[in-house]
Structures are given as C-alpha cells and as structure tokens.
Amino acid sequence: MTKKIAIFTSGGDCAGLNAVMRAVVVASHRLEWQVLGIENGTAGLLEEKPNYRLLTPDDFDATVMRLGGTILGTTNSRNPFEYKMPDGKVLDRSDELIAAFRDLGVDYIIGIGGDGSFGILNRLMKKGGLKFIGIPKTIDNDLNMTDYSVGFDTAVSIATEALDRLQPTAASHDRVMVLEVMGRDAGHIALTAGIAGGADVILIPEIPYTIENIASKIQEVKESGRNFALVMVSEAVKTPEGKKLEVVYQGGETRYGGIGDYLGMKLAQATGSETRVTVLGHVQRGASPTYNDRLLASALGVKAVDLVKEGKFARMVAWHNATVIDVPIEEAIKECRTVDIEGVLVHTARSLGISFG
Ligand code: F6P
C-alpha cells in the first residue's frame, strides 16, 4: 500500500542532514511511497502558504548528499507552543500545526532533530495523535539511547584538525593555545577531539578543575622540554567559581561562550606563557560529512523507513553496539547524555597523561 511521509530537519544544523534525507527518500521511493519535505523545520507549515515540496531521489543527486547544511533549511527558535510572531507576540500555534500536518494527508512524520526538538515534537505529535519517528542528529552527541548522533563525527574531525593546525603555530611561537569547542552541556566533542588531537589539557563540564592544576600541567610540559601546550575546552565549562559564561544575541537569546577567552587570560597570568585563544564555533557544523556520518545517516534513514513499514511510531531510531535499533522517543530525551567520567575515554586520556585540570 502506498504511503505518504513528511520529513523535516529541526534544531541546529550539522553535517549529514542531507545524507539522512537522501536515505529516507531513496528507500521510500523504492517502495513507491511519497516523501514531502517541509521547509525550515515545522515552521514551513505555519507560513501563509504552507511551504513544502515533493522530494524525489533526483533531489539528492550525486552532489547533495555530500553537502553540509540542509536543503530544507532548519530553525532552533520556532517552538509551535511558544511561537514568536513578527510583532513580538508569543502564540501557541500547536493546533494550527497539527491541522496543517493533517491537511497534508501524510501517514507518517519523520523529524531529524536533537533533544530540544524531540521534546517539543513528541508533545506535539502526542497531542495531535500523529505518527512520528525521530532520527537523531546533533554535534553534541548528547541524546540518550544512541551511541552516536549524525553530525558528531564530522564535528570531532573538524575539532581534531583544528588542534593539528594549532600545534605547529604553537610550537613556532612557544605558545599555549586554548581551543574552545561546542557541545552544550556535554563534553563529548572536547574529550574525543582532545584525545585524537593530542591536547595536554581537556576541560569538560562534567569534571571540575582549578587554574593551578592546569598551570602545573603546563609547567610539567615545559619541564619535559616541550615549548608549547594545547588546551581544549568545552563551551559549557564554568569558571572555577562556578560562573556560567554566555553571550547574548538579538532578542535576548543566550548561548554558551567566553570560557576560552577567560582561560586564556587566567593561564597567561598563572604561567607567564604567551597564550592565544581560538573559538571554533559554527565551523564545527558546516562541512561535508565524514564517511562515518554518511554511513550513520544512511543506516538510520533506512531504519526509519523500516519502522514505517512495520507500523511503529513514537520511536527514535538509534545506533547501538554496531547496529541500528529503535527506542521510545521519551527515553531518548529523558536526560542529557553527558560524558561518563568512569568511561573508557576519560580513562584513556588520564592514562596518556592528559590533565582534566
Ligand atoms: O546543539 C548544537 C549547538 O551547535 C551547540 O553545540 C551550541 O551550543 C549551539 O548549538 C549553538 O546554537 P546556535 O546555532 O543557535 O548559535
């Protein structure tokens, strides 16, 4: 029996979103099902004229699956329950959105998102009695119940490459280099790329630190005869006194930011070393996906279509123990999956002499 699926990307973008959509569209097309792509997250359906289009395998020709970003666009600030209108008013538009999905006549809705989006979407789909499947994507890799989310591997590769690029310039100038990476409340990017990129110090929100401990590690590095040090820090790391550092954007929206500069200043004072700070920011999100992210995107996209075939919904597809599984979406968003400080990566780092401050 033919089916109609709606798909959209939601929340912050990352590498691999087009590859996920390609997998869903190609696998659906082979079953002679239709896929409608909604523009700008679910917000496309709240425009005066609903903004969506039919997606076919031709839309994902030889080039598109290799591209970063999302051909459908996305947003992380269009919560239908608290929708900010152009005049500044905030409205609950959830009923309108549910009605718009019904008008599309779709059997299933597939959303590619992270914990923030899935929390909102799960509430929406339950309210509307709509059949929803989530595909996990986030560079932060903080969704529960999946070992990896699409986009993480690419972000880690970029952060690792940043350390590779900082190392020679650090060595040329006898400098301490601080690299601030994203990750929100989880230190996965900093920890993974820090090990892979040979950081001397890795600071993550899960492990408290002191400036003195970092300074003594830098001193130890100097005494070993090396003239530079690499310090990796995750954006959500607070000051040693517990102060959260943030930047405020237009409309009063806040994001983590500032810990790199803070540490740069403190470490220069504490060590007397020339110190420079690099904030990697959105560079971590905008790239052609790595082969790992393309494989993950393909496997998860196909699994989502399999779930439609099986008639399952309110599930998130996931990658666990080298295979695809599906889990209740509620479980996936129950809590933020932070770094396991007893886990293998922290143990590996410590055994390599990397300091957590
Ligand atoms: O959740 C993904 C992420 O890139 C975080 O790592 C980061 O804190 C945040 O999004 C940045 O958000 P925005 O794109 O709105 O600046």
Side-chain angles (χ1 to χ4, degrees):
M1 221 178 67
T2 187
K3 289 203 188 298
K4 212 196 243 185
I5 297 172
I7 194 167
F8 56 86
T9 45
S10 188
D13 77 326
C14 63
L17 297 175
N18 293 320
V20 175
M21 287 190 274
R22 174 224 186 205
V24 170
V25 169
V26 171
S28 299
H29 193 78
R30 289 170 60 82
L31 297 165
E32 297 182 10
W33 298 351
Q34 267 190 354
V35 181
L36 303 181
I38 299 164
E39 308 272 344
N40 301 323
T42 52
L45 290 186
L46 293 173
E47 290 174 25
E48 212 170 315
K49 185 172 174 302
N51 196 354
Y52 66 90
R53 58 186 154 126
L54 182 67
L55 295 176
T56 70
D58 290 343
D59 292 304
F60 298 92
D61 63 11
T63 54
V64 172
M65 60 162 277
R66 300 168 211 281
L67 300 179
T70 157
I71 59 164
L72 289 179
T74 188
T75 170
N76 58 8
S77 56
R78 288 283 184 278
N79 178 350
F81 292 96
E82 293 166 23
Y83 198 93
K84 282 191 210 110
M85 301 298 286
D87 64 2
K89 275 197 196 123
V90 177
L91 301 180
D92 180 351
R93 300 188 70 188
S94 57
D95 287 331
E96 240 179 287
L97 185 54
I98 291 165
F101 272 119
R102 293 229 175 88
D103 288 347
L104 285 184
V106 291
D107 304 287
Y108 263 85
I109 299 163
I110 296 181
I112 311 167
D115 59 342
S117 311
F118 285 166
I120 296 164
L121 290 168
N122 192 40
R123 185 174 159 207
L124 182 87
M125 302 299 165
K126 270 182 151 175
K127 183 178 180 192
L130 301 168
K131 293 181 179 169
F132 177 69
I133 294 170
I135 302 183
K137 66 85 219 174
T138 163
I139 65 166
D140 307 335
N141 209 29
D142 57 353
L143 271 160
N144 246 328
M145 311 294 287
T146 183
D147 299 346
Y148 295 106
S149 293
V150 173
F152 174 67
D153 190 73
T154 307
V156 169
S157 301
I158 294 165
T160 304
E161 191 192 330
L163 284 182
D164 291 347
R165 289 172 185 244
L166 288 171
Q167 185 275 325
T169 171
S172 305
H173 288 267
D174 299 358
R175 280 176 175 164
V176 172
M177 291 294 191
V178 177
L179 177 65
E180 178 185 314
V181 295
M182 283 184 166
R184 212 164 266 169
D185 295 304
H188 299 291
I189 297 178
L191 176 60
T192 315
I195 296 172
D200 300 294
V201 178
I202 300 175
L203 302 178
I204 55 176
E206 293 85 348
I207 302 182
Y209 71 97
T210 65
I211 297 293
E212 294 71 32
N213 286 349
I214 308 173
S216 94
K217 175 67 191 177
I218 292 170
Q219 188 57 30
E220 182 192 313
V221 168
K222 277 188 186 166
E223 281 165 12
S224 76
R226 181 137 64 70
N227 67 338
F228 71 92
L230 300 174
V231 177
M232 175 69 108
V233 61
S234 193
E235 61 178 1
V237 167
K238 296 178 176 148
T239 66
E241 297 75 34
K243 185 168 180 250
K244 187 170 168 179
L245 298 179
E246 287 182 324
V247 280
V248 183
Y249 290 106
Q250 65 275 31
E253 275 196 41
T254 57
R255 294 288 183 272
Y256 285 122
I259 188 66
D261 285 324
Y262 170 87
L263 281 174
M265 191 189 62
K266 290 284 177 191
L267 293 179
Q269 284 164 0
T271 65
S273 304
E274 228 182 15
T275 304
R276 294 290 185 269
V277 177
T278 302
V279 180
L280 209 46
H282 295 79
V283 167
Q284 291 156 98
R285 298 206 323 217
S288 176
T290 58
Y291 94 87
N292 272 327
D293 268 334
R294 293 182 205 191
L295 280 183
L296 186 64
S298 304
L300 294 181
V302 166
K303 178 70 177 176
V305 174
D306 289 344
L307 291 192
V308 174
K309 232 189 293 177
E310 290 163 25
K312 286 169 114 177
F313 57 90
R315 313 285 293 174
M316 184 185 83
V317 295
W319 184 260
H320 184 56
N321 282 345
T323 193
V324 281
I325 57 168
D326 58 281
V327 298
I329 203 139
E330 254 117 20
E331 289 294 313
I333 56 177
K334 206 160 64 179
E335 60 199 1
C336 172
R337 192 175 67 87
T338 53
V339 167
D340 174 7
I341 60 172
E342 306 294 333
V344 64
L345 290 189
V346 171
H347 169 72
T348 302
R350 288 196 196 282
S351 304
L352 291 173
I354 297 172
S355 166
F356 285 96

